[in-house]
Amino acid sequence: MMFPSDVYTDRRMRLKKELGSGLVLFPANFEVSLNYPANTYSYRQDSHFSYFFGLNHPDYIGIVDVDADKDYLFGDDIDIEDIIWMGDLPTVAEQAGQAGVRETGTLSSALAMLKAAVKKGQKIHFLPPYRSEVKLALSDWLDIPVRELKERSSPELIRAVVKLKEIKDALEVAEIEKAVDVAYLMHTTGMKLCFPGIVEQEVAGTMEGIALALAGPVSFPVILSMDGQTLHNHHHGNTLKEGRLVVMDAGCETQLLYASDITRTVPVGGKFSQRQKEVYQAVLDANMAVIRELKPGIRYFDMHMLAARTLVTGLKAIGLMKGDVDEAVAAGAHTLFFPHGLGHMLGMDVHDLEGLGENNVGYDETISRATAFGTAYLRLAKTLKPGFVLTIEPGCYFIPALIDKFRAEKKFTDFINYDLVETYKDFGGIRIEDDALITANGSRILGKPIPKTIADVERTMTAPREWVKVPGLI
Ligand code: GLY
Ligand code: MN
Ligand code: MN
Protein backbone atom coordinates (compact mmCIF):
# COMPACT_ATOMS: atom_id res chain seq x y z
CA MET A 1 0.00 0.00 0.00
CA MET A 2 1.30 3.43 -0.91
CA PHE A 3 0.09 6.98 -1.48
CA PRO A 4 -0.25 8.03 -5.15
CA SER A 5 3.18 8.32 -6.82
CA ASP A 6 3.05 12.12 -7.15
CA VAL A 7 3.04 12.41 -3.33
CA TYR A 8 6.56 10.95 -3.27
CA THR A 9 7.72 12.92 -6.31
CA ASP A 10 6.52 16.11 -4.67
CA ARG A 11 8.25 15.30 -1.37
CA ARG A 12 11.56 14.68 -3.14
CA MET A 13 11.14 17.86 -5.18
CA ARG A 14 10.62 19.90 -2.02
CA LEU A 15 13.62 18.21 -0.43
CA LYS A 16 15.80 19.19 -3.40
CA LYS A 17 14.60 22.77 -3.12
CA GLU A 18 15.45 22.88 0.59
CA LEU A 19 18.92 21.40 0.14
CA GLY A 20 20.09 23.16 -3.00
CA SER A 21 23.04 20.86 -3.67
CA GLY A 22 24.64 17.46 -3.06
CA LEU A 23 23.47 13.90 -3.22
CA VAL A 24 21.10 12.43 -0.63
CA LEU A 25 21.34 8.82 0.42
CA PHE A 26 18.34 7.04 1.95
CA PRO A 27 19.05 3.38 2.74
CA ALA A 28 16.01 1.19 3.29
CA ASN A 29 16.19 -0.93 6.42
CA PHE A 30 17.62 -4.44 6.18
CA GLU A 31 16.07 -7.59 7.56
CA VAL A 32 17.45 -8.18 11.07
CA SER A 33 17.99 -11.61 12.57
CA LEU A 34 16.27 -12.36 15.86
CA ASN A 35 17.51 -15.67 17.28
CA TYR A 36 19.17 -17.34 14.30
CA PRO A 37 20.07 -15.96 10.91
CA ALA A 38 16.96 -16.94 8.96
CA ASN A 39 14.48 -16.03 11.73
CA THR A 40 14.06 -12.30 11.46
CA TYR A 41 12.20 -9.60 13.39
CA SER A 42 9.00 -8.44 11.70
CA TYR A 43 10.21 -6.13 8.98
CA ARG A 44 9.92 -2.39 9.67
CA GLN A 45 10.91 0.02 6.93
CA ASP A 46 12.93 3.11 7.75
CA SER A 47 10.47 5.98 8.13
CA HIS A 48 12.53 8.45 6.09
CA PHE A 49 12.96 6.00 3.21
CA SER A 50 9.23 5.37 3.37
CA TYR A 51 8.43 9.10 3.38
CA PHE A 52 10.42 9.78 0.21
CA PHE A 53 10.16 6.43 -1.62
CA GLY A 54 7.09 4.71 -0.11
CA LEU A 55 8.16 1.13 -0.77
CA ASN A 56 8.00 -1.32 2.11
CA HIS A 57 10.85 -3.47 0.85
CA PRO A 58 14.17 -4.27 2.56
CA ASP A 59 17.63 -3.65 1.13
CA TYR A 60 16.74 -0.97 -1.43
CA ILE A 61 18.69 2.26 -1.70
CA GLY A 62 17.09 5.58 -2.59
CA ILE A 63 19.29 8.35 -3.92
CA VAL A 64 18.24 11.91 -4.64
CA ASP A 65 20.85 13.70 -6.75
CA VAL A 66 20.06 17.34 -6.04
CA ASP A 67 22.80 18.60 -8.38
CA ALA A 68 21.47 16.63 -11.37
CA ASP A 69 17.80 16.89 -10.29
CA LYS A 70 17.40 13.12 -10.55
CA ASP A 71 15.90 10.50 -8.23
CA TYR A 72 17.06 6.87 -8.21
CA LEU A 73 15.87 3.60 -6.75
CA PHE A 74 18.41 0.80 -6.53
CA GLY A 75 17.68 -2.84 -5.78
CA ASP A 76 18.13 -6.31 -7.16
CA ASP A 77 15.22 -8.05 -8.90
CA ILE A 78 14.16 -11.31 -7.31
CA ASP A 79 15.13 -14.66 -8.78
CA ILE A 80 13.36 -18.04 -9.03
CA GLU A 81 14.48 -19.07 -5.51
CA ASP A 82 12.82 -15.96 -4.04
CA ILE A 83 9.68 -16.63 -6.07
CA ILE A 84 9.48 -20.19 -4.73
CA TRP A 85 9.79 -19.16 -1.08
CA MET A 86 8.30 -15.66 -0.95
CA GLY A 87 6.11 -15.37 -4.05
CA ASP A 88 6.37 -13.11 -7.07
CA LEU A 89 7.06 -9.36 -6.90
CA PRO A 90 6.99 -6.56 -9.45
CA THR A 91 10.44 -5.64 -10.80
CA VAL A 92 12.46 -2.90 -9.12
CA ALA A 93 11.68 -0.66 -12.11
CA GLU A 94 7.93 -1.30 -11.73
CA GLN A 95 8.09 -0.60 -8.01
CA ALA A 96 10.09 2.57 -8.65
CA GLY A 97 7.20 3.71 -10.85
CA GLN A 98 4.87 3.49 -7.85
CA ALA A 99 7.11 6.05 -6.15
CA GLY A 100 7.37 8.24 -9.25
CA VAL A 101 11.05 7.30 -9.75
CA ARG A 102 12.32 6.78 -13.30
CA GLU A 103 16.00 5.99 -12.75
CA THR A 104 16.70 2.51 -11.40
CA GLY A 105 19.64 0.16 -11.07
CA THR A 106 21.11 -2.75 -9.19
CA LEU A 107 22.59 -2.47 -5.71
CA SER A 108 26.10 -2.73 -7.10
CA SER A 109 25.41 0.19 -9.44
CA ALA A 110 24.30 2.23 -6.40
CA LEU A 111 27.60 1.52 -4.72
CA ALA A 112 29.46 2.51 -7.90
CA MET A 113 27.51 5.78 -7.96
CA LEU A 114 28.37 6.48 -4.33
CA LYS A 115 32.07 5.70 -4.84
CA ALA A 116 32.10 8.01 -7.87
CA ALA A 117 30.43 10.77 -5.84
CA VAL A 118 32.98 10.38 -3.03
CA LYS A 119 35.80 10.48 -5.59
CA LYS A 120 34.63 13.68 -7.27
CA GLY A 121 34.03 15.33 -3.89
CA GLN A 122 30.25 15.62 -4.25
CA LYS A 123 28.63 16.30 -0.87
CA ILE A 124 26.76 13.16 0.31
CA HIS A 125 23.96 13.92 2.76
CA PHE A 126 22.75 11.16 5.05
CA LEU A 127 20.73 11.07 8.28
CA PRO A 128 22.18 9.75 11.55
CA PRO A 129 21.74 5.96 11.34
CA TYR A 130 20.19 4.08 14.29
CA ARG A 131 20.44 0.41 13.23
CA SER A 132 23.71 -1.51 13.42
CA GLU A 133 23.21 -3.12 10.00
CA VAL A 134 22.73 0.26 8.35
CA LYS A 135 25.68 1.73 10.25
CA LEU A 136 27.93 -1.05 8.97
CA ALA A 137 26.67 -0.60 5.42
CA LEU A 138 27.09 3.20 5.44
CA SER A 139 30.55 2.83 6.91
CA ASP A 140 31.48 0.45 4.11
CA TRP A 141 29.85 2.41 1.27
CA LEU A 142 31.18 5.82 2.31
CA ASP A 143 34.43 4.75 3.91
CA ILE A 144 33.57 6.44 7.22
CA PRO A 145 34.37 4.75 10.57
CA VAL A 146 31.17 3.67 12.35
CA ARG A 147 31.96 5.87 15.36
CA GLU A 148 32.10 8.97 13.13
CA LEU A 149 28.82 8.39 11.26
CA LYS A 150 26.64 10.44 13.61
CA GLU A 151 28.83 13.52 13.59
CA ARG A 152 29.31 13.27 9.82
CA SER A 153 25.59 13.03 9.12
CA SER A 154 24.17 16.12 7.43
CA PRO A 155 22.78 18.98 9.56
CA GLU A 156 21.30 20.52 6.39
CA LEU A 157 19.47 17.27 5.62
CA ILE A 158 18.24 17.00 9.22
CA ARG A 159 16.87 20.55 9.05
CA ALA A 160 15.21 19.92 5.67
CA VAL A 161 13.62 16.61 6.73
CA VAL A 162 12.28 18.12 9.97
CA LYS A 163 10.87 21.07 8.02
CA LEU A 164 9.06 18.83 5.54
CA LYS A 165 7.92 16.03 7.84
CA GLU A 166 6.74 18.08 10.81
CA ILE A 167 3.90 19.49 8.71
CA LYS A 168 1.41 16.71 8.00
CA ASP A 169 -0.80 16.98 4.91
CA ALA A 170 -4.41 15.82 4.72
CA LEU A 171 -3.45 12.32 3.53
CA GLU A 172 -1.10 11.87 6.46
CA VAL A 173 -3.61 13.21 8.98
CA ALA A 174 -6.23 10.80 7.63
CA GLU A 175 -3.77 7.95 8.08
CA ILE A 176 -2.95 8.95 11.70
CA GLU A 177 -6.66 9.26 12.33
CA LYS A 178 -7.18 5.67 11.19
CA ALA A 179 -4.47 4.60 13.64
CA VAL A 180 -6.30 6.46 16.43
CA ASP A 181 -9.58 4.80 15.45
CA VAL A 182 -7.96 1.39 15.89
CA ALA A 183 -6.53 2.63 19.22
CA TYR A 184 -10.14 3.40 20.19
CA LEU A 185 -10.95 -0.29 19.95
CA MET A 186 -7.66 -1.31 21.62
CA HIS A 187 -8.37 0.94 24.60
CA THR A 188 -12.10 0.40 25.02
CA THR A 189 -11.55 -3.36 24.79
CA GLY A 190 -8.68 -3.09 27.29
CA MET A 191 -10.92 -1.17 29.68
CA LYS A 192 -13.53 -3.93 29.60
CA LEU A 193 -10.90 -6.47 30.70
CA CYS A 194 -9.64 -4.56 33.75
CA PHE A 195 -11.37 -6.62 36.40
CA PRO A 196 -9.92 -8.38 39.47
CA GLY A 197 -8.15 -11.67 38.74
CA ILE A 198 -7.08 -10.82 35.18
CA VAL A 199 -3.31 -10.73 34.57
CA GLU A 200 -2.00 -7.52 32.96
CA GLN A 201 -0.57 -9.58 30.10
CA GLU A 202 -4.08 -10.70 29.12
CA VAL A 203 -5.12 -7.08 28.68
CA ALA A 204 -1.90 -5.96 26.98
CA GLY A 205 -1.89 -8.97 24.63
CA THR A 206 -5.51 -8.45 23.65
CA MET A 207 -4.82 -4.80 22.85
CA GLU A 208 -1.74 -5.70 20.80
CA GLY A 209 -3.75 -8.37 18.99
CA ILE A 210 -6.34 -5.79 17.96
CA ALA A 211 -3.58 -3.61 16.52
CA LEU A 212 -2.24 -6.51 14.50
CA ALA A 213 -5.68 -7.67 13.44
CA LEU A 214 -7.04 -4.32 12.26
CA ALA A 215 -4.04 -2.13 11.38
CA GLY A 216 -0.41 -3.13 11.85
CA PRO A 217 1.97 -3.68 14.74
CA VAL A 218 1.82 -1.60 17.89
CA SER A 219 3.64 1.70 17.41
CA PHE A 220 5.78 1.00 20.53
CA PRO A 221 5.78 -1.82 23.09
CA VAL A 222 2.54 -1.62 25.07
CA ILE A 223 2.87 0.15 28.42
CA LEU A 224 0.28 -1.34 30.76
CA SER A 225 0.49 -1.65 34.50
CA MET A 226 -1.08 -1.21 37.90
CA ASP A 227 2.31 0.29 38.75
CA GLY A 228 1.63 3.27 36.55
CA GLN A 229 4.00 5.37 38.66
CA THR A 230 6.73 3.76 36.52
CA LEU A 231 6.30 5.89 33.41
CA HIS A 232 7.19 3.32 30.77
CA ASN A 233 6.30 0.06 32.48
CA HIS A 234 6.57 -2.96 30.16
CA HIS A 235 6.21 -5.58 32.91
CA HIS A 236 2.79 -7.16 32.52
CA GLY A 237 2.94 -9.82 35.24
CA ASN A 238 0.62 -8.43 37.94
CA THR A 239 -2.81 -9.86 38.64
CA LEU A 240 -5.34 -7.02 38.74
CA LYS A 241 -6.70 -6.15 42.18
CA GLU A 242 -9.73 -4.14 43.26
CA GLY A 243 -8.73 -0.68 44.45
CA ARG A 244 -5.84 -0.21 42.00
CA LEU A 245 -5.62 1.82 38.80
CA VAL A 246 -4.29 0.55 35.47
CA VAL A 247 -2.36 2.85 33.12
CA MET A 248 -2.74 1.69 29.52
CA ASP A 249 -0.50 3.48 26.99
CA ALA A 250 -0.72 1.94 23.53
CA GLY A 251 -1.15 2.70 19.86
CA CYS A 252 -0.72 1.06 16.50
CA GLU A 253 0.69 1.90 13.12
CA THR A 254 -1.01 1.60 9.77
CA GLN A 255 0.47 -0.18 6.75
CA LEU A 256 1.70 3.23 5.61
CA LEU A 257 3.51 3.41 8.98
CA TYR A 258 1.58 6.28 10.58
CA ALA A 259 1.15 5.91 14.34
CA SER A 260 -1.26 6.56 17.17
CA ASP A 261 -0.27 6.97 20.82
CA ILE A 262 -3.07 6.98 23.40
CA THR A 263 -3.12 6.60 27.18
CA ARG A 264 -6.08 5.90 29.39
CA THR A 265 -6.15 5.10 33.12
CA VAL A 266 -8.94 3.00 34.57
CA PRO A 267 -9.96 1.63 37.98
CA VAL A 268 -9.77 -2.15 38.36
CA GLY A 269 -13.35 -3.35 38.70
CA GLY A 270 -14.96 -0.44 36.88
CA LYS A 271 -15.55 2.13 39.64
CA PHE A 272 -13.16 4.91 40.70
CA SER A 273 -12.80 5.41 44.45
CA GLN A 274 -13.23 8.95 45.80
CA ARG A 275 -9.44 9.32 46.20
CA GLN A 276 -8.86 8.11 42.63
CA LYS A 277 -11.57 10.39 41.25
CA GLU A 278 -9.95 13.48 42.76
CA VAL A 279 -6.49 12.90 41.28
CA TYR A 280 -7.96 11.64 37.99
CA GLN A 281 -10.03 14.81 37.61
CA ALA A 282 -6.95 16.97 38.24
CA VAL A 283 -5.10 15.20 35.38
CA LEU A 284 -8.15 15.36 33.12
CA ASP A 285 -8.53 19.07 33.84
CA ALA A 286 -4.89 19.56 32.76
CA ASN A 287 -5.50 17.58 29.55
CA MET A 288 -8.66 19.57 28.78
CA ALA A 289 -7.13 22.96 29.65
CA VAL A 290 -4.42 22.34 27.05
CA ILE A 291 -6.94 21.14 24.46
CA ARG A 292 -8.94 24.36 24.93
CA GLU A 293 -5.88 26.58 24.40
CA LEU A 294 -4.02 24.67 21.71
CA LYS A 295 -3.45 26.70 18.53
CA PRO A 296 -0.72 27.81 16.14
CA GLY A 297 1.70 30.50 17.28
CA ILE A 298 1.95 29.45 20.91
CA ARG A 299 4.88 27.55 22.40
CA TYR A 300 4.28 24.00 23.57
CA PHE A 301 6.45 24.91 26.56
CA ASP A 302 3.67 27.29 27.63
CA MET A 303 1.09 24.52 27.19
CA HIS A 304 3.24 22.32 29.44
CA MET A 305 3.22 25.06 32.07
CA LEU A 306 -0.56 25.48 31.71
CA ALA A 307 -0.94 21.74 32.33
CA ALA A 308 1.36 22.02 35.36
CA ARG A 309 -0.62 24.95 36.83
CA THR A 310 -3.91 23.14 36.28
CA LEU A 311 -2.59 19.98 37.92
CA VAL A 312 -1.23 21.92 40.90
CA THR A 313 -4.60 23.66 41.32
CA GLY A 314 -6.25 20.24 41.51
CA LEU A 315 -3.63 18.82 43.88
CA LYS A 316 -4.03 21.88 46.13
CA ALA A 317 -7.78 21.26 46.35
CA ILE A 318 -7.02 17.69 47.49
CA GLY A 319 -4.47 19.00 50.01
CA LEU A 320 -1.45 17.31 48.45
CA MET A 321 0.02 20.69 47.52
CA LYS A 322 -0.23 24.13 49.12
CA GLY A 323 0.81 27.76 48.58
CA ASP A 324 0.61 29.90 45.47
CA VAL A 325 0.07 27.90 42.27
CA ASP A 326 2.23 30.09 40.04
CA GLU A 327 5.03 30.17 42.57
CA ALA A 328 4.86 26.38 43.02
CA VAL A 329 5.16 25.82 39.26
CA ALA A 330 7.89 28.44 38.87
CA ALA A 331 9.84 26.64 41.62
CA GLY A 332 9.28 23.27 39.89
CA ALA A 333 7.36 21.70 42.78
CA HIS A 334 4.92 20.02 40.34
CA THR A 335 7.76 17.88 39.00
CA LEU A 336 7.41 15.58 42.03
CA PHE A 337 4.09 14.49 40.50
CA PHE A 338 4.58 15.35 36.80
CA PRO A 339 8.24 14.71 35.98
CA HIS A 340 7.87 14.39 32.18
CA GLY A 341 6.95 16.62 29.26
CA LEU A 342 3.44 17.28 28.01
CA GLY A 343 3.95 15.55 24.68
CA HIS A 344 5.84 15.02 21.44
CA MET A 345 5.38 15.05 17.68
CA LEU A 346 3.54 12.08 16.22
CA GLY A 347 3.82 10.78 12.66
CA MET A 348 5.53 7.85 11.01
CA ASP A 349 7.36 7.35 14.27
CA VAL A 350 5.58 7.52 17.58
CA HIS A 351 8.11 10.07 18.80
CA ASP A 352 8.25 11.56 15.34
CA LEU A 353 11.62 12.83 14.11
CA GLU A 354 13.32 12.42 17.49
CA GLY A 355 15.88 10.13 15.85
CA LEU A 356 17.22 13.30 14.21
CA GLY A 357 17.89 14.81 17.64
CA GLU A 358 15.24 15.91 20.16
CA ASN A 359 16.54 19.46 20.11
CA ASN A 360 16.29 19.58 16.30
CA VAL A 361 12.59 18.72 16.33
CA GLY A 362 11.33 19.95 19.71
CA TYR A 363 13.10 23.29 20.05
CA ASP A 364 13.56 26.35 17.82
CA GLU A 365 14.86 29.92 18.01
CA THR A 366 12.03 30.83 20.42
CA ILE A 367 13.17 28.38 23.11
CA SER A 368 16.09 26.22 24.15
CA ARG A 369 16.09 23.29 26.52
CA ALA A 370 15.88 24.01 30.26
CA THR A 371 18.23 22.29 32.68
CA ALA A 372 16.04 21.85 35.80
CA PHE A 373 14.75 18.39 36.81
CA GLY A 374 11.47 17.63 35.02
CA THR A 375 11.39 20.70 32.78
CA ALA A 376 14.58 19.53 31.07
CA TYR A 377 12.72 16.41 29.93
CA LEU A 378 10.37 18.26 27.58
CA ARG A 379 10.65 16.63 24.15
CA LEU A 380 8.58 19.34 22.50
CA ALA A 381 8.67 22.98 23.57
CA LYS A 382 8.72 25.03 20.38
CA THR A 383 6.18 27.29 18.70
CA LEU A 384 3.33 25.35 17.08
CA LYS A 385 2.43 25.55 13.40
CA PRO A 386 -0.65 24.37 11.48
CA GLY A 387 -0.05 20.78 10.36
CA PHE A 388 1.80 19.66 13.48
CA VAL A 389 0.43 16.44 14.98
CA LEU A 390 1.36 16.01 18.61
CA THR A 391 0.39 14.24 21.81
CA ILE A 392 -1.14 15.83 24.91
CA GLU A 393 -0.25 13.60 27.84
CA PRO A 394 -0.21 15.13 31.30
CA GLY A 395 0.15 12.74 34.21
CA CYS A 396 0.32 12.52 37.96
CA TYR A 397 2.47 9.88 39.61
CA PHE A 398 3.29 8.90 43.17
CA ILE A 399 6.83 7.53 42.84
CA PRO A 400 7.88 6.36 46.34
CA ALA A 401 11.63 6.73 45.68
CA LEU A 402 11.19 10.27 44.35
CA ILE A 403 8.93 11.26 47.25
CA ASP A 404 11.56 9.95 49.70
CA LYS A 405 14.35 11.76 47.84
CA PHE A 406 12.61 15.14 47.65
CA ARG A 407 11.47 14.86 51.26
CA ALA A 408 14.95 13.95 52.52
CA GLU A 409 16.36 16.90 50.58
CA LYS A 410 13.61 19.14 52.06
CA LYS A 411 12.68 20.19 48.53
CA PHE A 412 9.58 22.31 47.91
CA THR A 413 8.44 22.11 51.55
CA ASP A 414 6.48 25.36 51.02
CA PHE A 415 4.39 23.69 48.33
CA ILE A 416 4.08 19.99 49.18
CA ASN A 417 2.22 18.39 52.08
CA TYR A 418 4.57 15.46 52.49
CA ASP A 419 2.55 13.90 55.34
CA LEU A 420 -0.46 13.49 53.09
CA VAL A 421 1.67 12.53 50.06
CA GLU A 422 3.13 9.66 52.15
CA THR A 423 -0.34 8.11 52.33
CA TYR A 424 -0.51 8.02 48.49
CA LYS A 425 2.61 5.88 48.03
CA ASP A 426 0.40 2.93 47.06
CA PHE A 427 -1.63 4.97 44.57
CA GLY A 428 0.31 4.32 41.35
CA GLY A 429 -0.06 6.85 38.56
CA ILE A 430 -2.45 8.43 36.11
CA ARG A 431 -1.79 9.58 32.54
CA ILE A 432 -4.33 10.69 29.95
CA GLU A 433 -3.00 11.03 26.39
CA ASP A 434 -4.69 12.22 23.20
CA ASP A 435 -3.39 12.92 19.70
CA ALA A 436 -4.08 16.36 18.21
CA LEU A 437 -3.67 18.21 14.93
CA ILE A 438 -2.81 21.91 14.98
CA THR A 439 -5.19 23.55 12.49
CA ALA A 440 -5.15 27.03 10.90
CA ASN A 441 -6.84 28.63 13.92
CA GLY A 442 -6.89 26.07 16.67
CA SER A 443 -6.61 22.32 17.02
CA ARG A 444 -8.55 19.11 16.62
CA ILE A 445 -8.33 15.89 18.60
CA LEU A 446 -7.84 13.11 16.07
CA GLY A 447 -9.99 10.04 15.73
CA LYS A 448 -13.09 8.69 17.32
CA PRO A 449 -13.27 10.08 20.90
CA ILE A 450 -11.92 7.52 23.36
CA PRO A 451 -13.77 7.67 26.70
CA LYS A 452 -11.91 9.72 29.29
CA THR A 453 -14.36 11.40 31.67
CA ILE A 454 -14.92 9.51 34.91
CA ALA A 455 -18.52 8.72 33.93
CA ASP A 456 -17.62 7.64 30.37
CA VAL A 457 -14.75 5.40 31.51
CA GLU A 458 -16.95 3.71 34.12
CA ARG A 459 -19.77 3.26 31.59
CA THR A 460 -17.44 1.84 28.94
CA MET A 461 -15.90 -0.69 31.32
CA THR A 462 -19.21 -2.50 31.78
CA ALA A 463 -20.63 -1.97 28.26
CA PRO A 464 -20.63 -4.92 25.80
CA ARG A 465 -17.50 -5.51 23.72
CA GLU A 466 -17.40 -4.18 20.15
CA TRP A 467 -15.48 -5.15 17.01
CA VAL A 468 -15.25 -2.22 14.60
CA LYS A 469 -13.13 -2.26 11.46
CA VAL A 470 -11.72 1.07 10.34
CA PRO A 471 -12.47 1.83 6.68
CA GLY A 472 -9.36 2.05 4.52
CA LEU A 473 -7.21 -0.31 6.57
CA ILE A 474 -8.00 -3.97 6.12
N1 GLY B 1 4.10 5.96 24.40
C1 GLY B 1 5.11 6.69 25.07
C2 GLY B 1 4.70 8.06 25.12
O1 GLY B 1 3.56 8.34 25.43
O2 GLY B 1 5.41 8.94 24.77
MN1 MN C 1 1.92 7.09 24.95
MN1 MN D 1 3.22 9.81 23.86
Side-chain angles (χ1 to χ4, degrees):
M1 249 214 269
M2 284 172 62
F3 290 130
S5 62
D6 56 353
V7 169
Y8 303 100
T9 306
D10 181 62
R11 288 172 176 177
R12 293 189 303 268
M13 196 194 67
R14 287 189 289 132
L15 178 69
K16 283 179 268 195
K17 221 184 246 166
E18 286 295 329
L19 279 175
S21 66
L23 184 142
V24 195
L25 170 58
F26 289 110
N29 271 336
F30 298 87
E31 295 278 16
V32 180
S33 297
L34 171 63
N35 55 335
Y36 63 92
N39 204 34
T40 56
Y41 288 95
S42 293
Y43 182 68
R44 175 54 157 84
Q45 183 57 283
D46 173 70
S47 299
H48 305 298
F49 180 91
S50 182
Y51 185 81
F52 291 105
F53 290 89
L55 297 158
N56 198 36
H57 193 285
D59 302 340
Y60 288 172
I61 297 174
I63 291 182
V64 176
D65 187 340
V66 185
D67 300 321
D69 189 15
K70 277 192 174 159
D71 307 331
Y72 299 82
L73 180 75
F74 295 97
D76 292 335
D77 282 328
I78 58 172
D79 59 19
I80 185 69
E81 295 258 330
D82 298 314
I83 293 171
I84 291 167
W85 288 96
M86 313 295 287
D88 209 352
L89 253 195
T91 62
V92 170
E94 284 163 346
Q95 291 178 58
Q98 294 172 22
V101 174
R102 277 197 285 272
E103 315 286 337
T104 60
T106 60
L107 289 172
S108 61
S109 60
L111 303 195
M113 185 175 178
L114 290 172
K115 297 271 179 227
V118 171
K119 204 157 162 208
K120 70 177 177 197
Q122 190 179 15
K123 166 86 188 163
I124 300 181
H125 301 276
F126 60 91
L127 294 171
Y130 54 92
R131 281 208 187 177
S132 308
E133 287 74 9
V134 173
K135 289 182 188 175
L136 292 173
L138 282 179
S139 171
D140 179 40
W141 300 342
L142 304 177
D143 202 17
I144 296 175
V146 168
R147 66 180 176 282
E148 290 179 19
L149 282 167
K150 190 170 175 209
E151 74 195 50
R152 288 175 62 179
S153 64
S154 164
E156 300 93 332
L157 180 59
I158 290 174
R159 263 196 300 280
V161 169
V162 169
K163 188 169 170 188
L164 293 185
K165 284 180 78 177
E166 71 181 3
I167 308 293
K168 272 70 180 179
D169 66 19
L171 287 174
E172 296 180 284
V173 171
E175 204 58 28
I176 295 171
E177 202 140 33
K178 288 179 213 165
V180 179
D181 284 347
V182 173
Y184 165 92
L185 193 64
M186 293 165 69
H187 279 271
T188 54
T189 305
M191 289 177 187
K192 295 176 207 300
L193 290 173
C194 285
F195 283 81
I198 302 271
V199 180
E200 290 163 345
Q201 182 176 338
E202 296 176 73
V203 187
T206 303
M207 292 171 74
E208 182 156 357
I210 291 171
L212 282 167
L214 296 184
V218 286
S219 46
F220 56 93
V222 173
I223 296 163
L224 188 144
S225 182
M226 288 194 303
D227 290 320
Q229 75 281 3
T230 303
L231 304 184
H232 282 178
N233 201 331
H234 299 302
H235 171 78
H236 305 313
N238 297 312
T239 301
L240 301 188
K241 285 190 192 61
E242 195 84 45
R244 301 291 309 273
L245 293 165
V246 182
V247 170
M248 309 190 294
D249 183 351
C252 64
E253 56 182 36
T254 66
Q255 284 166 19
L256 287 168
L257 309 183
Y258 287 85
S260 54
D261 181 10
I262 300 288
T263 308
R264 290 293 182 264
T265 305
V266 304
V268 176
K271 287 278 170 217
F272 287 95
S273 68
Q274 185 55 33
R275 189 171 85 142
Q276 289 169 342
K277 275 185 187 169
E278 290 167 359
V279 181
Y280 187 92
Q281 193 60 49
V283 178
L284 185 60
D285 287 348
N287 168 288
M288 297 300 292
V290 170
I291 290 172
R292 274 194 299 277
E293 294 296 320
L294 206 54
K295 58 174 184 279
I298 54 171
R299 298 184 313 177
Y300 210 50
F301 179 85
D302 297 317
M303 291 294 95
H304 176 87
M305 289 305 169
L306 170 64
R309 286 195 304 276
T310 311
L311 179 67
V312 171
T313 305
L315 296 182
K316 240 184 94 173
I318 299 169
L320 289 160
M321 293 190 76
K322 59 188 176 183
D324 181 77
V325 170
D326 290 339
E327 283 174 23
V329 170
H334 61 285
T335 62
L336 173 62
F337 305 103
F338 179 28
H340 61 74
L342 180 63
H344 49 85
M345 297 280 205
L346 179 73
M348 293 182 106
D349 295 315
V350 68
H351 285 189
D352 203 32
L353 296 162
E354 276 179 16
L356 305 183
E358 263 185 41
N359 290 348
N360 293 324
V361 59
Y363 291 79
D364 61 9
E365 63 290 346
T366 66
I367 185 152
S368 40
R369 192 181 277 271
T371 52
F373 173 85
T375 314
Y377 305 161
L378 269 64
R379 300 172 187 282
L380 178 62
K382 71 183 179 185
T383 301
L384 305 179
K385 295 181 186 159
F388 281 12
V389 174
L390 45 78
T391 67
I392 305 158
E393 48 180 309
C396 182
Y397 312 89
F398 295 86
I399 306 167
L402 192 61
I403 295 167
D404 290 346
K405 182 172 188 295
F406 277 19
R407 188 167 207 183
E409 291 168 0
K410 300 193 168 36
K411 275 179 107 157
F412 311 126
T413 47
D414 290 344
F415 304 112
I416 292 170
N417 282 324
Y418 281 106
D419 285 344
L420 186 59
V421 172
E422 287 288 339
T423 69
Y424 279 67
K425 277 182 168 172
D426 61 350
F427 187 93
I430 293 173
R431 179 162 64 253
I432 303 172
E433 176 175 26
D434 293 308
D435 302 338
L437 167 72
I438 306 299
T439 59
N441 309 308
S443 66
R444 181 164 77 78
I445 297 298
L446 294 176
K448 186 166 166 178
I450 302 172
K452 66 177 174 181
T453 65
I454 289 171
D456 285 349
V457 168
E458 289 185 347
R459 196 174 310 121
T460 304
M461 290 182 75
T462 53
R465 273 182 73 165
E466 310 172 73
W467 187 257
V468 202
K469 283 202 203 185
V470 174
L473 288 181
I474 63 159

